[in-house]
Amino acid sequence: MVAPLMEETEKGKSALINNAKPKIEEEEEEQQVVKVWSWGAGTDGQLGTGRLHDELSPQLLNLSSLSSVSMLACGGAHVLALTSPSSVIGGKVFSWGRGSSGQLGHGEMVDALYPKPVTFFDGHRYTITHISAGWNHSGFVSDSGCLFTCGDGTFGQLGHGDYRSHSSPVKVSSFVNKNVHQIACGMRHSLVLLKDCLGNQVYGFGSGKRGQLGVSKDRIRSVSLPQVTIGLHDIEIVGISANGDRSAALSAEGHLYTWGRGFNSTSDVNCPQSLPSSLSFSQAALGWNHVLVLTGDGEVLMLGGSHHGMLSDPERVSSTRPLSVALEKVSNLDGVKVIQIAAGAEHSAVVTGKFHWVRLFIISYTPFFPPFFINVIAENRAIMTWGWGEHGQLGLGNTCDQIHPKVVNLGDEFQNRDTQLEVFCGSGFTYAISRHCLPSQT
Amino acid sequence: MSYDDVEIEDMEWNEELQAYTYPCPCGDLFQITKDELRIGEEIARCPSCSLYITVIYNIEDFLDNKSKEKLEPSKQQPVAVA
């Protein structure tokens, strides 16, 4: 569901970095210490703690299956994890949490309290490179460009031409001769992005009632076979995202296209529409009622978040400021450079790199130069959250909503530039991963 | 304030819960039973949190058992696209 669109600007031209990007190159020589935390709604086992209750603060998970995790995908109440291809248990998919619709892909429709391998891919010798978790369904893309889906198929969101649910991954035959790059699973629909296929790159299937498939100008109830999304011809799409009844695509030029349910009670949009902004975006993350975008300068803007951070306060919601359909800068992030963004159904999370100057004194040993100093930039990484907090999904130790981003205490300091932080949001829960590279010991 | 207005045809009949359900942003389900609908209740609540939705439906559809068939919203009608 919440696979944020990511790209990286390189010499003015952007290239796709999916959130899912397995960090292969780092694994080869360096040893990493990976830590995983979870917090928020936990009543279906989605936190991987072995318990079935909410956690208001980050819980450090001591799970060997996640020691080489390269990517997480968090859905309605389940989680998919992908391990780095070069690790000892490399290229494997694990899943846990709610499994009542078969979304865990374990061949049965039961919940799992801890990460459990999706053995289907081992048996069929597929290496999975991209994953997405929807409300109650899951999608997997292999390195050979094949797409597999499982879970709830009631709305055609599995793309198999029927409305059946599956408890094991099933290959989507429509894409057998095509090269699938990414899948994005929403509440009741799915989007697919093909590789090297300009013009017919994006496909949609599942429920289309709010226009979220973008496959027709008319209102469509649902389709169970993938159909081309219209209105994106001649646009190079580098990332897709689906959540709730909404869809989004990010272009190589940094434009964001959205379709589906309208933001802030505006009417539904049946075809992709470009977000009116002169800014170029490097990432986008969709919630159920808001979208976050990140600019190349590390600034975060939000669209549709008029109720964001006041859901638990009915009076405040009804007397809220006039609904706006414009992008607004997220306040309280001044002087903070944001590196990554993520959105849950009604909450938001960012990874920040807070830069500050450090003065270094340099003592020269040559007789002609006196000691001098230089200023260098040091960086503090942190996770900040805001939005709906009733289940502890903000990880701030309470159930309060937050209108402005607040720093989550993970109990670790991330001053080292060699430590990477990533954040992932499910509907009502959040995961954080830190990767610390150890110096190679030779 | 109601989190959302949802038409009954967009809700799913859950056999286990014996209720019409709709996804709640917390991960659980908004729920309303046929008995509640019959007495004119239009609020579907989530058992896990404070949020609730307003269900849009026609009460007459629930007063008479004969019309039950057309109320099952989980049967999806595939629609051909031109």
Side-chain angles (χ1 to χ4, degrees):
Chain A
M1 181 186 297
V2 194
L5 320 176
M6 300 182 83
E7 58 169 357
E8 201 165 69
T9 310
E10 209 176 78
K11 293 173 189 169
K13 173 82 179 167
S14 12
L16 169 72
I17 293 187
N18 197 321
N19 199 9
K21 195 183 82 160
K23 303 206 160 32
I24 306 165
E25 63 279 4
E26 292 156 23
E27 298 283 334
E28 282 168 357
E29 286 181 9
E30 287 171 312
Q31 236 203 327
Q32 284 192 339
V33 177
V34 177
K35 286 183 179 175
V36 181
W37 293 264
S38 66
W39 61 90
T43 45
D44 291 282
Q46 64 266 54
L47 298 184
T49 53
R51 299 183 292 272
L52 290 171
H53 56 73
D54 298 355
E55 297 289 353
L56 309 183
S57 300
Q59 303 295 304
L60 181 61
L61 303 178
N62 187 16
L63 297 167
S64 58
S65 50
L66 298 183
S67 61
S68 64
V69 63
S70 65
M71 177 201 185
L72 290 178
C74 301
H78 71 293
V79 184
L80 308 175
L82 197 57
T83 62
S84 296
S86 60
S87 67
V88 184
I89 47 164
K92 281 201 190 312
V93 181
F94 291 83
S95 61
W96 63 100
R98 184 163 64 208
S100 52
S101 301
Q103 61 267 56
L104 300 183
H106 297 152
E108 51 187 10
M109 296 196 173
V110 294
D111 298 352
L113 280 175
Y114 294 106
K116 194 176 159 184
V118 181
T119 52
F120 169 87
F121 299 114
D122 307 332
H124 292 76
R125 293 172 184 268
Y126 286 109
T127 302
I128 299 303
T129 55
H130 186 261
I131 48 178
S132 178
W135 172 255
N136 267 345
H137 70 296
S138 302
F140 313 86
V141 178
S142 74
D143 60 351
S144 51
C146 295
L147 174 68
F148 303 84
T149 56
C150 65
D152 187 6
T154 317
F155 297 86
Q157 64 266 54
L158 301 187
H160 301 305
D162 57 23
Y163 295 85
R164 284 164 57 197
S165 298
H166 292 277
S167 60
S168 278
V170 176
K171 193 190 270 187
V172 180
S173 54
S174 297
F175 295 116
V176 157
N177 295 317
K178 300 201 167 77
N179 201 354
V180 175
H181 184 37
Q182 287 178 27
I183 175 149
C185 300
M187 187 197 283
R188 293 168 167 180
H189 74 293
S190 306
L191 299 178
V192 162
L193 176 64
L194 299 186
K195 218 182 270 183
D196 313 320
C197 192
L198 193 61
N200 292 327
Q201 287 179 282
V202 180
Y203 286 73
F205 44 94
S207 173
K209 235 192 130 179
R210 308 305 297 260
Q212 63 265 52
L213 300 183
V215 300
S216 164
K217 283 181 177 149
D218 303 317
R219 192 167 136 150
I220 282 180
R221 195 183 168 100
S222 63
V223 294
S224 60
L225 282 172
Q227 307 236 359
V228 175
T229 296
I230 55 176
L232 291 173
H233 302 291
D234 307 323
I235 299 161
E236 189 190 345
I237 299 299
V238 293
I240 50 170
S241 180
N243 204 356
D245 296 324
R246 293 190 171 83
S247 301
L250 194 64
S251 77
E253 276 88 34
H255 296 301
L256 186 73
Y257 296 81
T258 62
W259 61 103
R261 192 173 174 166
F263 289 101
N264 286 342
S265 309
T266 54
S267 52
D268 297 347
V269 178
N270 289 329
C271 303
Q273 280 188 357
S274 177
L275 217 59
S277 171
S278 57
L279 295 166
S280 173
F281 306 122
S282 59
Q283 296 176 29
L286 267 182
W288 281 17
N289 287 300
H290 72 297
V291 58
L292 297 177
V293 286
L294 180 65
T295 68
D297 297 330
E299 200 170 73
V300 180
L301 297 101
M302 177 161 64
L303 173 74
S306 301
H307 295 164
H308 208 60
M310 37 181 115
L311 266 188
S312 304
D313 191 345
E315 282 179 24
R316 212 161 165 189
V317 171
S318 47
S319 65
T320 190
R321 59 184 187 276
L323 297 176
S324 140
V325 281
L327 275 172
E328 286 179 23
K329 196 178 155 188
V330 174
S331 57
N332 216 28
L333 286 173
D334 293 331
V336 172
K337 188 183 159 74
V338 172
I339 297 163
Q340 190 227 321
I341 54 176
E346 292 291 347
H347 71 292
S348 301
V350 296
V351 176
T352 65
K354 190 172 186 176
F355 291 98
H356 56 97
W357 291 99
V358 173
R359 183 167 284 193
L360 291 182
F361 280 91
I362 311 288
I363 298 164
S364 166
Y365 291 102
T366 53
F368 305 109
F369 293 101
F372 66 102
F373 61 84
I374 55 167
N375 289 324
V376 295
I377 290 176
E379 194 182 354
N380 263 344
R381 302 231 158 157
I383 286 175
M384 297 178 89
T385 56
W386 72 105
W388 188 38
E390 187 172 340
H391 291 269
Q393 59 265 58
L394 304 185
L396 302 173
N398 57 49
T399 55
C400 301
D401 291 1
Q402 298 292 338
I403 298 174
H404 305 298
K406 293 271 182 341
V407 174
V408 177
N409 182 8
L410 292 175
D412 274 13
E413 285 287 312
F414 302 102
Q415 289 173 341
N416 196 320
R417 269 174 175 269
D418 294 333
T419 302
Q420 294 181 336
L421 263 184
E422 271 183 289
V423 67
F424 304 86
C425 293
S427 282
F429 62 100
T430 312
Y431 271 78
I433 299 179
S434 81
R435 290 189 183 84
H436 180 67
C437 296
L438 295 176
S440 48
Q441 295 166 340
T442 45
Chain B
M1 196 182 130
S2 173
Y3 176 69
D4 203 356
D5 297 339
V6 177
E7 290 175 32
I8 190 77
E9 64 161 21
D10 289 330
M11 298 186 77
E12 290 180 87
W13 176 252
N14 186 309
E15 202 59 46
E16 198 182 325
L17 297 168
Q18 285 293 302
Y20 288 95
T21 65
Y22 191 79
C24 173
C26 77
D28 207 338
L29 296 166
F30 293 114
Q31 303 171 17
I32 193 163
T33 63
K34 281 179 186 164
D35 284 345
E36 288 173 318
L37 292 167
R38 252 178 233 125
I39 57 164
E41 177 63 68
E42 54 178 23
I43 299 298
R45 295 181 188 280
C46 170
S48 299
C49 67
S50 67
L51 301 186
Y52 57 90
I53 54 170
T54 306
V55 181
I56 299 164
Y57 71 107
N58 188 354
I59 191 165
E60 278 103 59
D61 296 342
F62 290 87
L63 296 174
D64 178 11
N65 276 342
K66 285 176 200 164
S67 57
K68 201 179 157 190
E69 287 162 26
K70 65 177 184 184
L71 290 174
E72 300 296 334
S74 54
K75 284 176 192 161
Q76 290 297 305
Q77 299 289 318
V79 174
V81 179

